[in-house]
């Protein structure tokens, strides 16, 4: 069905289509029998898919990457589609509108997207309240979906004060999310990627870990990294993860590279982060490099250019414990989640 409607959806602005589709998805799930139909079509319930990673039990290893549900509005709907975990955000302490529109572009010839959204979100208070409401709902008890909170800094916060923004998000979401992701790798907030350098990153992660230790229970903290890092920088990342004792890494975010694209120049020259098929190989290389360099000492969530079952299996084989979808989900449709889970089941003996 998705193959039939996709050409029509792709005629319109990607951001407008996103809101149109998600609004109607919510309506469908509210309609009597809609949620049950969604589960029946897309969800796979099989205990063999369950996986325990950084102390959390995932019902299956296929998750929704951050950016799709910035404000935690679609947790129940995405769980009904078969995702084992949902990562919400990136969220910032204060609401912000993001960059001027248009700020998302399709590159169909490359099965890719370029976005420069700029952390548009309703702020951490709105997100925390929404997740808390979901946690109280009957759907939450049935779905048992893991929720991750992807946190960032406001655009106007200077880098020297960035730690405070991450602390505010961490504290506000602590009681409602299952794990955290520190996003210092988006190319769409000026200066943000500078926080990936060793010293500021150590300070940021150590501060959050100290905060974590003060609570009766601690939440796993992961670091989301860019695919554009050199091997030397990846070596630093491995060292930082081991020294700060955070739970793991998400590899990778979008890329600023435009290498090998076949789309027209005007599209290629749009500013922002590139996601989709052009990222498939590089993100898998980063996963493999980090996994081998660290001797598999911490979990990796693999994301970037997963458009098929084989793409997902390649990432798992390279060392990913879990995987996430975003652009592949948009290009291939919700059936991709089920296909990947079935492919994983077929590898189990």
């Amino acid at each position: 069905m998705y193959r039939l409607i996709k050409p029509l959806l792709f005629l319109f602005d990607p951001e407008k289509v996103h809101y149109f589709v998600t609004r109607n998805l919510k309506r469908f799930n509210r309609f009597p029998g809609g949620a049950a139909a969604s589960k029946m079509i897309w969800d796979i319930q099989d205990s063999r898919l369950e996986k325990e990673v950084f102390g959390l039990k995932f019902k299956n290893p296929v998750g929704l990457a951050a950016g799709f549900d910035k404000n935690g509005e679609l947790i129940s709907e995405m769980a009904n589609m078969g995702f084992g975990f949902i990562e919400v955000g990136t969220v910032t302490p204060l609401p912000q509108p993001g960059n001027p529109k248009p700020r998302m572009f399709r590159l169909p010839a490359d099965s890719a997207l370029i976005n420069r959204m700029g952390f548009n979100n309703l702020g951490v208070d709105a997100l925390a309240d929404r997740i808390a409401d979901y946690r109280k709902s009957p759907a939450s008890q049935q779905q048992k979906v893991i929720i991750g909170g992807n946190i960032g800094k406001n655009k106007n916060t200077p880098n020297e004060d960035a730690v405070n923004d991450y602390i505010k998000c961490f504290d506000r979401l602590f009681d409602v999310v299952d794990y955290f992701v520190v996003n210092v790798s988006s190319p769409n907030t000026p200066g943000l990627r500078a926080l990936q350098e060793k010293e500021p990153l150590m300070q940021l992660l150590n501060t959050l870990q100290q905060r974590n230790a003060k609570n009766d229970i601690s939440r796993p903290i992961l670091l989301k990294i860019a695919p554009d890092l050199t091997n030397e920088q990846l070596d630093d990342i491995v060292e930082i993860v081991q020294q700060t004792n955070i739970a793991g890494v998400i590899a990778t975010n979008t890329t600023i590279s435009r290498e090998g694209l076949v789309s027209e120049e005007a599209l290629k020259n749009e500013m922002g982060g590139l996601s989709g098929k052009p990222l498939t190989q590089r993100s898998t290389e980063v996963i493999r490099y980090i996994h081998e360099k660290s001797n598999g000492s911490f979990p990796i969530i693999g994301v970037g250019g997963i458009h098929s079952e084989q793409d997902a299996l390649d990432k798992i084989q390279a060392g990913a414990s879990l995987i996430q979808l975003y652009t592949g989900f948009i290009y291939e449709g919700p059936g991709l989640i089920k296909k990947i889970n079935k492919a994983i089941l077929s590898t189990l003996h």
Side-chain angles (χ1 to χ4, degrees):
M1 190 173 80
Y2 186 72
R3 279 185 189 151
L4 293 174
I5 62 167
K6 188 175 100 170
L8 184 65
L9 295 175
F10 273 37
L11 294 173
F12 301 96
D13 174 77
E15 193 173 349
K16 284 179 182 165
V17 167
H18 175 82
Y19 291 116
F20 171 78
V21 169
T22 53
R23 257 198 320 270
N24 283 292
L25 185 62
K26 286 185 86 65
R27 283 191 190 119
F28 177 73
N29 274 264
R30 278 200 297 264
F31 194 77
S38 189
K39 276 187 203 169
M40 193 175 71
I41 298 164
W42 290 302
D43 195 17
I44 291 184
Q45 298 286 339
D46 194 314
S47 59
R48 291 174 299 161
L49 287 167
E50 288 175 4
K51 196 152 191 198
E52 192 164 314
V53 186
F54 39 80
L56 298 174
K57 194 175 183 181
F58 294 79
K59 67 175 186 177
N60 73 59
V62 185
L64 180 68
F68 192 90
D69 186 12
K70 289 175 183 292
N71 298 305
E73 294 165 302
L74 302 161
I75 297 167
S76 186
E77 291 77 12
M78 293 292 111
N80 286 340
M81 278 191 164
F83 282 112
F85 62 110
I86 317 281
E87 196 171 302
V88 293
T90 298
V91 69
T92 53
L94 301 172
Q96 59 182 27
N99 292 321
K101 298 175 183 178
R103 53 195 180 181
M104 184 180 270
F105 308 88
R106 284 189 212 95
L107 287 69
D110 291 294
S111 295
L113 291 173
I114 290 175
N115 92 78
R116 51 169 181 265
M117 303 300 285
F119 290 172
N120 57 308
N121 73 102
L122 299 174
V124 75
D125 286 332
L127 177 62
D129 291 345
R130 196 167 274 130
I131 301 171
D133 288 345
Y134 167 75
R135 295 285 195 196
K136 292 173 201 156
S137 71
S140 166
Q141 308 310 312
Q142 295 161 6
Q143 290 167 337
K144 293 185 171 60
V145 70
I146 296 285
I147 302 171
N150 187 301
I151 58 177
K153 77 171 189 75
N154 280 111
K155 184 179 180 179
N156 295 333
T157 304
N159 275 7
E160 53 269 27
D161 298 331
V163 172
N164 295 327
D165 274 17
Y166 287 92
I167 288 171
K168 283 173 193 166
C169 291
F170 184 81
D171 287 352
R172 188 66 179 87
L173 292 177
F174 190 88
D175 291 332
V176 293
V177 300
D178 297 297
Y179 71 88
F180 283 97
V181 180
V182 175
N183 187 354
V184 288
S185 52
S186 168
N188 301 318
T189 295
L192 184 77
R193 282 186 166 199
L195 294 173
Q196 286 182 120
E197 294 302 324
K198 197 169 184 180
E199 229 169 278
L201 193 49
M202 285 285 282
Q203 188 206 345
L204 172 58
L205 295 175
N206 277 325
T207 304
L208 291 177
Q209 281 290 60
Q210 285 158 15
R211 210 103 187 144
N212 217 357
K214 285 179 186 170
N215 296 292
D216 292 337
I217 47 164
S218 61
R219 302 273 183 233
I221 298 173
L222 294 99
L223 174 68
K224 190 164 188 175
I225 61 170
D228 310 308
L229 300 177
T230 63
N231 284 352
E232 289 75 21
Q233 288 171 310
L234 292 175
D235 292 346
D236 283 347
I237 295 292
V238 170
E239 202 178 305
I240 288 164
V241 173
Q242 291 171 336
Q243 283 183 12
T244 58
N245 207 25
I246 62 165
V249 161
I250 299 189
T252 62
N253 212 322
T254 56
T255 180
I256 52 175
S257 167
R258 297 293 184 265
E259 201 180 320
L261 296 184
V262 296
S263 294
E264 55 267 33
E265 288 303 312
L267 273 176
K268 283 197 278 191
N269 292 334
E270 290 291 352
M271 296 291 289
L274 176 80
S275 61
K277 276 191 183 176
L279 201 51
T280 309
Q281 192 180 336
R282 177 58 187 158
S283 63
T284 305
E285 283 169 3
V286 172
I287 292 163
R288 184 173 288 111
Y289 186 89
I290 289 175
H291 182 67
E292 288 174 359
K293 192 77 187 173
S294 66
N295 294 315
S297 61
F298 53 80
I300 300 166
I301 299 180
V303 57
I306 300 174
H307 285 246
S308 70
E309 304 95 294
Q310 193 56 53
D311 293 338
L313 294 176
D314 288 346
K315 283 186 169 37
I316 292 166
Q317 203 173 6
S321 303
L322 305 164
I323 57 144
Q324 289 179 327
L325 308 178
Y326 186 135
T327 306
F329 178 58
I330 291 166
Y331 272 90
E332 313 304 329
L336 181 60
I337 310 155
K338 192 173 189 175
K339 284 178 187 168
I340 291 170
N341 277 319
K342 277 187 167 177
I344 290 168
L345 282 172
S346 73
T347 65
L348 303 174
H349 300 296

